Amino acid sequence: MKSLLKDAHSSDRDCLEDLQVYFTDCAQPVIDRTHHIKCREVELTYVHIEVESVPFNKGFYTVDLTFFFTVKIAAYTCNAPSNPVELAGIAVFNKKIVLYGSEGNVKVFSTNQCSSECHGQEPNATVQVAEPVCLECRLMDCCNCFCEPLCGMPECICNCIEGNFCGVVPNRAVFVTLGIFYIVSLERSTHIMIPSYDYKIPENCCPDGNCLTDNPCMLFNKMKFPYEEFNPPKLDDLSND
């Protein structure tokens, strides 16, 4: 008997328009006096996942995803128009989906856990995300748009950027539009039966009738010379790609 995982998954793409980029108290003053910005890089730093069962729908679960993106920009100020300041901020996106995760009425214990701990009946959720694509980056005055401060950032995110996010009130804000591809899966342990068959001990003789030998040089001399390793491949051997 072998343990496997069965899963239900959802593959999707999202265009995340006008995500506000949050900066710490060290970087926000630079943004407030910036007149031009460029997006250098966007990296997915962390995804927070929560799974809850759907009431009155057995086997269905809601998966709440919170994506945290690290956005690196170049800020051009009037004091140094040719030497931009490299800054990093955080953009946040929330997504909720519903997946069928089946039902489980057993508790699973494993050797790497304490005896009092076990896996619950809810399935495990995983998310796979390709590298995000920055589609647009713009700078706006907060008087012309809705800008909000951010508090309650996860500790793993706060440790990546110098400064504090809480209490920062921006005068100017950065908004980005990102494109992401991702797959969300619900996984649950299951078992399958694998049949076993009798085996046969091979005879101590080569298929061509020559008996095996313990002499490594004799075995080496019988090997075919790898001419293809010393020549480039022919055009017919290359794939269409």
Side-chain angles (χ1 to χ4, degrees), residues 29-191:
V30 180
I31 296 296
D32 291 339
R33 61 176 186 270
T34 296
H35 65 84
H36 179 63
I37 58 173
K38 288 184 178 180
C39 183
R40 296 294 194 195
E41 183 183 0
V42 179
E43 180 183 4
L44 179 62
T45 306
Y46 176 68
V47 180
H48 180 72
I49 306 175
E50 293 184 358
V51 180
E52 293 183 359
S53 59
V54 178
F56 309 110
N57 289 274
K58 291 184 178 181
F60 286 87
Y61 298 86
T62 60
V63 182
D64 292 314
L65 305 171
T66 304
F67 297 83
F68 294 90
F69 302 94
T70 299
V71 182
K72 298 180 181 179
I73 67 167
Y76 296 83
T77 61
C78 297
N79 297 332
S82 60
N83 296 319
V85 181
E86 300 291 335
L87 301 174
I90 299 296
V92 184
F93 171 69
N94 297 297
K95 176 81 172 185
K96 177 181 287 188
I97 62 175
V98 178
L99 291 176
Y100 180 74
S102 185
E103 296 181 70
N105 298 318
V106 298
K107 295 183 178 180
V108 181
F109 294 83
S110 60
T111 56
N112 58 355
Q113 293 178 324
C114 298
S115 58
S116 59
E117 297 178 350
C118 66
H119 300 289
Q121 297 181 5
E122 293 183 350
N124 296 322
T126 60
V127 57
Q128 303 176 56
V129 188
E131 287 297 326
V133 181
C134 185
L135 304 174
E136 185 184 31
C137 181
R138 57 196 180 97
L139 182 68
M140 294 187 64
D141 294 328
C142 288
C143 59
N144 298 327
C145 62
F146 177 72
C147 304
E148 58 177 349
L150 180 65
C151 292
M153 189 77 70
E155 185 177 356
C156 61
I157 302 297
C158 296
N159 295 335
C160 297
I161 299 180
E162 181 182 0
N164 298 317
F165 288 95
C166 190
V168 177
V169 180
N171 295 323
R172 309 196 80 186
V174 175
F175 293 88
V176 294
T177 298
L178 307 178
I180 59 172
F181 298 88
Y182 59 94
I183 297 177
V184 183
S185 301
L186 285 181
E187 300 176 346
R188 187 185 296 279
S189 297
T190 186
H191 296 83

